[in-house]
Amino acid sequence: MPSAVAGPEIERLIQLLARLPGLGPRSARRAALHLIKKREALMAPLTAALETAMEKIEVCKTCGNIDTQNPCTVCTDQRRDPSIIVVVADVADLWALERAHAVNGRYHVLGGTLSPLDGVGPQDLSIDALISRAHDAEVKEIILALNATVDGQTTAHYITELLGEAGVKVTRLAHGVPVGGELDYLDEGTLAAAIKQRTLF
């Protein structure tokens, strides 16, 4: 049995880093070594940033975004169109849409998607809060920006049924050929969706 090459504190650091998405045991070891080598330039500021994040970051009570203020920066931005609410599964999706500068509305983070196999039901998501927001007089459109997976589409259909009495337009993201995509490399489901949702040229 190999002997330990580092003390328990370093092993603990590696174990914690390995829990991050995209980091396996090897990557975590490399990251830990890099942090240790750059203690003053990297580890100290990272430690301070993590402590600040622990103290100040909270979930927005309106939309579910994370920020250092509540309501969040997005919800308090007066330049945004209050008539549009973009529904996303999690904060990463909100950030992706913001990077693309795709929409200038408000958001609603569900906190996941319906998944009976994983035990995630409507009560586990912030669907009730969304329905309540949709009944606000200034809201005219709900954009369902959910993944094109079985769970994502199940969630979209469930929400659409609940929004029937809200008097708002419910739309979803288009599915099909991505910009720059070549037909030969696309799967059959994507091609079928692209043909079904074809538009005038």
Side-chain angles (χ1 to χ4, degrees):
M1 184 171 170
S3 58
V5 294
E9 297 83 3
I10 295 173
E11 286 300 324
R12 176 79 174 136
L13 175 62
I14 293 167
Q15 289 170 2
L16 289 171
L17 288 171
R19 291 184 186 177
L20 295 172
L23 287 185
R26 278 188 175 172
S27 300
R29 285 194 182 283
R30 282 197 298 271
L33 281 172
H34 188 73
L35 285 169
I36 292 165
K37 286 179 185 175
K38 307 271 185 180
R39 264 184 281 199
E40 295 303 318
L42 198 55
M43 191 182 274
L46 179 61
T47 302
L50 288 170
E51 286 176 359
T52 302
M54 279 288 292
E55 292 170 11
K56 296 188 176 179
I57 292 178
E58 53 187 305
V59 176
C60 176
K61 63 184 178 188
T62 305
C63 74
N65 188 19
I66 56 173
D67 203 339
T68 53
Q69 66 181 51
N70 200 346
C72 71
T73 306
V74 174
C75 287
T76 56
D77 186 350
Q78 297 299 316
R79 296 167 297 177
R80 291 184 176 270
D81 185 351
S83 71
I84 298 172
I85 296 177
V86 183
V87 180
V88 293
D90 55 46
V91 175
D93 300 331
L94 186 157
W95 289 357
L97 288 169
E98 282 298 289
R99 281 195 309 272
H101 303 290
V103 67
N104 191 38
R106 304 271 168 87
Y107 290 91
H108 188 87
V109 180
L110 294 174
T113 53
L114 295 173
S115 180
L117 292 176
D118 297 322
V120 180
Q123 70 283 353
D124 301 309
L125 307 176
S126 66
I127 294 175
D128 289 342
L130 170 64
I131 304 307
S132 177
R133 290 181 71 192
H135 280 84
D136 191 317
E138 65 182 355
V139 176
K140 306 296 181 207
E141 181 180 5
I142 303 288
I143 302 174
L144 299 175
L146 300 171
N147 292 330
T149 60
V150 172
D151 290 345
Q153 294 311 297
T154 301
T155 307
H157 287 294
Y158 180 79
I159 290 171
T160 302
E161 286 181 19
L162 294 178
L163 289 171
E165 297 176 4
V168 295
K169 180 166 80 170
V170 181
T171 59
R172 69 174 187 173
L173 298 183
H175 300 148
V177 180
V179 174
E182 296 182 30
L183 298 184
D184 190 38
Y185 292 100
L186 299 176
D187 63 275
E188 291 81 6
T190 301
L191 285 170
I195 290 294
K196 186 176 178 183
Q197 297 179 45
R198 63 191 182 276
T199 58
L200 291 172
F201 190 63

